[in-house]
């Protein structure tokens, strides 16, 4: 664990790169889409975290993330839902070489979850915000939204969920809350990210004092598979393919696009 000076901020380069090749297999009776990852990230800085003085942190990853993320609950009827059976063993410290082996979300509906553990040596409670203040989602140069006439971005199809857990509870209690969060199709609080460039407050909580010396934020990033993120092909003009938002479309327009969280900030709230 690290202690950082008061002028520091929590920064992250958590890359969720969906580098996939999509194709369709069609017949008279069915249409199915297969997604194939064909590029791996060589260097990804995962959560270079800085926090205010008096607060320490630890970053952990959910072992259920595996190599391709895990399917959201009830994504497929034959899937075995991811679960947390022992928080201390199911969330492990992110190693220094984690980025070298970082893999991707396999397909729409898949998720990855991380834990930011905070502890305070302050003997008084302090209100804090966890905010997403900067991210990168480069617009496609070849696939445009027909309505806005702008390149389509992966940020349009990213969901972020947060769970706020009392880290001073027993491992059994933390495990139960973490498992409920991981297995929830629509976690309480809902999707906290709308794809816009504004700062997104992900959580407001209290840290410090006798009853809240430790805090755990679980952060889940999901490649949405809801119909409001789908696109259907419209036409091609000057080498650019134009698409319309359509609930009867699919997620193929997001192939090869990237979403990177550049900066998360933990800040104190002045009252």
């Amino acid at each position: 664990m690290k202690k950082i000076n008061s002028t520091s901020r929590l920064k992250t380069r958590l890359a969720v790169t969906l580098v996939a090749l999509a194709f369709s297999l069609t017949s008279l009776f069915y249409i199915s889409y297969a997604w194939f990852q064909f590029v791996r990230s060589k260097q990804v800085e995962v959560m270079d975290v800085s926090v205010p003085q008096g607060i320490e942190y630890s970053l952990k990853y959910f072992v259920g993330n595996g190599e391709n993320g895990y399917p959201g609950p009830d994504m497929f009827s034959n899937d075995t839902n991811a679960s947390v059976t022992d928080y201390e063993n199911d969330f492990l410290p992110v190693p220094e070489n984690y980025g070298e082996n970082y893999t991707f979300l396999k397909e729409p509906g898949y998720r990855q979850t991380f834990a930011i553990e905070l502890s305070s040596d302050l003997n008084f409670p302090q209100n804090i915000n966890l905010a997403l203040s900067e991210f990168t989602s480069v617009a496609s140069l070849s696939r445009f939204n027909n309505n806005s006439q702008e390149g389509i971005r992966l940020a349009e199809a990213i969901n972020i969920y947060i769970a706020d857990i009392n880290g001073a509870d027993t491992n059994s209690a933390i495990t139960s809350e973490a498992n409920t969060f991981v297995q929830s199709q629509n976690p309480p609080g809902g999707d906290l990210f709308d794809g816009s460039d504004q700062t997104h407050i992900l959580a407001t909580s209290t840290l410090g004092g006798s009853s809240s010396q430790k805090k755990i934020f679980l952060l889940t990033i999901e490649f949405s598979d809801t119909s409001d993120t789908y696109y259907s092909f419209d036409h091609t003009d000057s080498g650019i393919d134009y698409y319309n938002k359509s609930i009867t479309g699919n997620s193929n327009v997001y192939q090869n696009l990237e979403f990177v969280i550049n900066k998360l900030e933990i800040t104190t709230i002045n009252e």
Side-chain angles (χ1 to χ4, degrees), residues 64-86:
N65 290 347
E67 293 186 351
N68 300 297
Y70 60 90
D74 304 320
M75 179 178 168
F76 302 116
S77 59
N78 59 346
D79 270 342
T80 299
N81 287 345
S83 63
V84 180
T85 58
D86 183 339

Side-chain angles (χ1 to χ4, degrees), residues 60 84-91 117 165-179 216:
K60 297 183 176 180
V84 180
T85 58
D86 183 339
Y87 176 81
E88 291 182 352
N89 290 318
D90 290 345
F91 282 83
E117 296 182 351
I165 298 175
N166 184 356
D169 282 344
T170 64
N171 181 59
S172 176
I174 294 172
T175 296
S176 178
E177 288 193 60
N179 186 55
I216 299 172

Side-chain angles (χ1 to χ4, degrees), residues 18 135-141 143-145 148 150-158 193-198 200 223 229 231 245 251 253-259:
L18 289 100
F135 68 90
T136 299
S137 183
V138 179
S140 174
L141 298 177
R143 298 182 295 276
F144 276 41
N145 182 311
S148 68
E150 296 178 346
I152 294 169
R153 302 189 306 163
L154 180 56
E156 300 175 37
I158 292 295
F193 181 68
D194 62 9
S196 67
D197 292 331
Q198 66 185 23
H200 297 79
F223 180 14
T229 65
Y231 278 92
K245 275 288 185 71
S251 300
V253 293
Y254 301 111
Q255 63 184 350
N256 300 329
L257 299 182
E258 180 183 74
F259 176 81

Side-chain angles (χ1 to χ4, degrees), residues 107-253:
E107 60 185 280
Y110 270 62
R111 300 175 172 181
Q112 292 203 18
T113 295
F114 296 83
I116 302 171
E117 296 182 351
L118 303 175
S119 62
S120 171
D121 58 10
L122 301 176
N123 58 9
F124 58 90
Q126 193 169 40
N127 294 325
I128 60 172
N129 274 339
L130 170 63
L132 168 57
S133 59
E134 184 180 326
F135 68 90
T136 299
S137 183
V138 179
S140 174
L141 298 177
S142 60
R143 298 182 295 276
F144 276 41
N145 182 311
N146 193 38
N147 182 52
S148 68
Q149 298 291 295
E150 296 178 346
I152 294 169
R153 302 189 306 163
L154 180 56
E156 300 175 37
I158 292 295
N159 296 331
I160 296 179
Y161 306 104
I162 291 286
D164 181 344
I165 298 175
N166 184 356
D169 282 344
T170 64
N171 181 59
S172 176
I174 294 172
T175 296
S176 178
E177 288 193 60
N179 186 55
T180 297
F181 175 71
V182 166
Q183 292 200 334
S184 176
Q185 182 68 25
N186 297 295
D191 173 26
L192 300 168
F193 181 68
D194 62 9
S196 67
D197 292 331
Q198 66 185 23
T199 295
H200 297 79
I201 302 298
L202 302 179
T204 298
S205 193
T206 303
L207 182 65
S210 60
S211 62
S212 56
Q213 291 290 123
K214 296 181 179 180
K215 179 71 57 179
I216 299 172
F217 289 124
L218 296 186
L219 182 152
T220 292
I221 300 178
E222 177 183 59
F223 180 14
S224 177
D225 192 30
T226 57
S227 59
D228 62 352
T229 65
Y230 293 172
Y231 278 92
S232 291
F233 176 77
D234 185 82
H235 71 282
T236 299
D237 183 23
S238 300
I240 296 177
D241 294 331
Y242 290 85
Y243 295 80
N244 295 317
K245 275 288 185 71
S246 172
I247 61 173
T248 61
N250 55 53
S251 300
N252 288 5
V253 293

Side-chain angles (χ1 to χ4, degrees), residues 18-38:
L18 289 100
V19 188
L21 173 65
F23 69 90
S24 61
L25 300 173
T26 63
S27 76
L28 182 63
F29 302 103
Y30 68 91
I31 298 177
S32 63
Y33 292 90
W35 293 72
F36 296 92
Q37 144 192 337
F38 63 91

